[in-house]
């Protein structure tokens, strides 16, 4: 890896070691996945990809939010945070018996801090705990995932402008262009390089908003029989406004009426930046019933505008909950009309805040049907259990 102006030889060594380690990690995991391929993926009757429940078992989802891999890679601090983030995910996956699926709920990387052209190297490191266990996953983008690189102020402390240092022509890394790795490139990498990924580009007519898609959780008895639909929406940021557009809302309405016309199958919604409705239900001075959670340490940082998606969700009795990240100091679930608005828990050591890390767990049972959730902390403690649907 080359930088425009690394301050010391030590920093150069750290960056080189980090990239080399990422390369080794990625190659090694490819071999593991090839040896542990899941059954071939088919599509449900509506054309959506599905994941199937295990016979006699609940379907458990781990939600990893705001990992922020790649921050301050030119310092001693940065690479250590990524190692710590991997430890959190490993701990959660080890302590929660039989996680069936993982959702990466945005800000997987901090692209505006990554001084290499191909940010997917850090994406691979973030995915590694899930991939190494042969657990399928899906991702949705956050506001930091494809933000353009921002030159660190300390690089300008020496006299003059930091020089542009280009690597050899055959180098894997390029410091000659800091345009960033855009959403479509990250998603392309995720889809093409990982057979366990259920992520999707989404409809082209919604681009540059990527990661708008739906997955079906199928009955253990019949892969064509849906138990729950999981919707993923790109709430913007980076190269795109922080908003769920009217076009995305229309897509959701059309798709949900097509595959779930009677609203008889429960639906869960995932996006990164909370809608403005989160402000309306946010607890004041602590967390009190009917809200459930442990930390309420900051104000809701919502999307720039409300353009119709929440109106659609509250009118569909099948929508049980919305899950978001973005605010690292919030982990509550609060009822909003006939559904629940929930935060994940800040999982990564990258990003602001010193609150203990963890992950939200979602458990779906078929007989009798229920959707429950709780927070699993990095120290193994479980708290904030809530029933989202009886």
């Amino acid at each position: 890896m080359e930088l425009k102006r690394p301050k010391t030889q030590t920093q150069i060594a750290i960056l080189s070691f980090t990239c080399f380690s990422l390369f080794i990690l990625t190659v090694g995991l490819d071999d593991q996945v090839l040896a542990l391929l899941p059954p071939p993926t088919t599509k449900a009757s509506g054309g959506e990809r599905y994941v199937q429940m295990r016979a006699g078992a609940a379907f458990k989802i781990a939600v990893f939010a705001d990992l922020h891999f790649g921050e301050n890679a030119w310092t001693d601090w940065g690479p250590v945070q990524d190692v710590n983030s991997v430890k959190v995910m490993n701990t959660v996956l080890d302590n929660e018996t039989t996680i069936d699926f993982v959702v990466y709920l945005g800000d997987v990387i901090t692209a505006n801090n990554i001084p290499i052209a191909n940010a997917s190297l850090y994406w691979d490191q973030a995915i590694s705990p899930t991939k190494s266990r042969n657990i399928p996953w899906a991702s949705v983008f956050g506001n930091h995932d494809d933000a353009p690189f921002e030159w660190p102020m300390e690089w300008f402390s020496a006299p003059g402008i930091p020089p542009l240092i280009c690597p050899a022509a055959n180098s894997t890394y390029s410091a000659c262009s800091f345009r960033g790795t855009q959403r479509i490139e990250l998603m392309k990498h995720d889809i093409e390089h990982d057979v366990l990924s259920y992520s999707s580009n989404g409809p082209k007519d919604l681009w540059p908003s990527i990661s708008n898609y739906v997955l079906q959780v199928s009955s253990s008895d019949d892969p064509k029989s849906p138990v729950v639909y999981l919707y993923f929406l790109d709430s913007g940021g980076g190269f795109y406004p922080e908003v769920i557009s009217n076009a995305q809302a229309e897509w959701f309405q059309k798709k949900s009426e097509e595959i779930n016309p009677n609203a008889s199958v429960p639906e869960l919604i995932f996006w990164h930046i909370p809608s403005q409705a989160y402000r309306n239900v946010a607890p004041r001075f602590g967390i009190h019933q009917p809200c459930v959670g442990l930390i309420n340490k900051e104000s809701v940082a919502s999307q720039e505008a409300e353009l119709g998606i929440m109106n659609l969700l509250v009118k569909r009795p099948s929508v049980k909950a919305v899950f978001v990240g973005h605010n690292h100091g919030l982990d509550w679930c609060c009822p909003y009309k006939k559904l629940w608005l929930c935060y994940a828990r800040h999982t990564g050591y990258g990003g602001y805040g010193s609150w203990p890390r963890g992950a939200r767990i979602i458990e779906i049972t078929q007989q009798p049907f229920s959707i429950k959730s709780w927070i699993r902390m990095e120290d193994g403690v479980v708290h904030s259990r809530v029933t989202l649907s009886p």
Side-chain angles (χ1 to χ4, degrees), residues 83-104:
V83 170
N84 289 336
S85 297
V86 168
K87 289 179 180 178
V88 175
M89 290 185 282
N90 282 331
T91 299
V92 169
L93 295 175
D94 288 342
N95 287 339
E96 284 290 341
T97 57
T98 318
I99 291 293
D100 298 283
F101 201 74
V102 168
V103 171
Y104 287 89

Side-chain angles (χ1 to χ4, degrees), residues 278-315:
Y278 274 72
R279 294 180 182 175
N280 299 333
V281 301
R284 303 290 189 271
F285 309 110
I287 300 175
H288 310 284
Q289 293 291 336
C291 296
V292 178
L294 190 63
I295 57 171
N296 186 31
K297 300 297 184 180
E298 57 181 324
S299 300
V300 172
S302 67
Q303 297 169 29
E304 297 173 24
E306 170 54 59
L307 300 176
I309 187 62
M310 288 306 304
N311 289 336
L312 292 175
L313 298 184
V314 298
K315 291 177 181 177

Side-chain angles (χ1 to χ4, degrees), residues 13 35 85 144 147 180 199 213 232 261 387:
S85 297
H144 282 280
S199 303
Y213 58 100
F232 301 86
T387 298

Side-chain angles (χ1 to χ4, degrees), residues 239-368:
F239 284 94
Y240 191 74
E242 294 183 358
V243 68
I244 293 178
S245 68
N246 178 263
Q248 289 170 278
E250 290 179 354
W251 170 81
F252 170 81
Q253 182 176 31
K254 180 180 179 180
K255 176 58 70 173
S256 59
E257 290 177 352
E258 171 192 335
I259 65 176
N260 194 14
N262 299 322
S264 58
V265 179
E267 297 163 327
L268 300 178
I269 317 296
F270 299 87
W271 65 64
H272 180 72
I273 304 175
S275 65
Q276 295 187 358
Y278 274 72
R279 294 180 182 175
N280 299 333
V281 301
R284 303 290 189 271
F285 309 110
I287 300 175
H288 310 284
Q289 293 291 336
C291 296
V292 178
L294 190 63
I295 57 171
N296 186 31
K297 300 297 184 180
E298 57 181 324
S299 300
V300 172
S302 67
Q303 297 169 29
E304 297 173 24
E306 170 54 59
L307 300 176
I309 187 62
M310 288 306 304
N311 289 336
L312 292 175
L313 298 184
V314 298
K315 291 177 181 177
R316 280 188 67 81
S318 49
V319 176
K320 302 305 179 184
V322 179
F323 300 93
V324 303
H326 194 55
N327 280 111
H328 300 177
L330 303 175
D331 74 351
W332 45 258
C333 282
C334 290
Y336 176 70
K337 300 184 179 180
K338 295 182 178 180
L339 55 84
W340 286 82
L341 301 183
C342 293
Y343 274 98
R345 180 80 184 207
H346 183 199
T347 306
Y349 270 79
Y352 71 91
S354 58
W355 304 287
R357 272 60 171 183
R360 178 164 293 281
I361 308 298
I362 303 168
E363 181 185 72
I364 302 164
T365 56
Q366 186 175 358
Q367 295 294 340

Side-chain angles (χ1 to χ4, degrees), residues 30 33 123-124 127 131 137 189-198:
D30 284 342
V33 170
W123 188 280
D124 289 342
I127 298 296
K131 187 174 180 179
W137 71 84
H189 176 86
D190 193 14
I191 294 170
E192 293 184 355
H193 288 76
D194 293 310
V195 296
L196 294 167
S197 173
Y198 279 66

Side-chain angles (χ1 to χ4, degrees), residues 36-94:
L36 296 169
L37 289 180
T41 300
T42 57
K43 293 186 177 181
S45 55
E48 284 64 48
R49 297 182 72 186
Y50 70 83
V51 286
Q52 192 167 6
M53 300 182 71
R54 292 173 291 111
F59 186 85
K60 291 173 68 176
I61 302 171
V63 182
F64 295 145
D66 297 278
L67 294 167
H68 288 278
F69 273 75
E71 286 196 354
N72 291 32
W74 54 87
T75 68
D76 293 335
W77 177 88
V80 172
Q81 306 316 301
D82 294 344
V83 170
N84 289 336
S85 297
V86 168
K87 289 179 180 178
V88 175
M89 290 185 282
N90 282 331
T91 299
V92 169
L93 295 175
D94 288 342

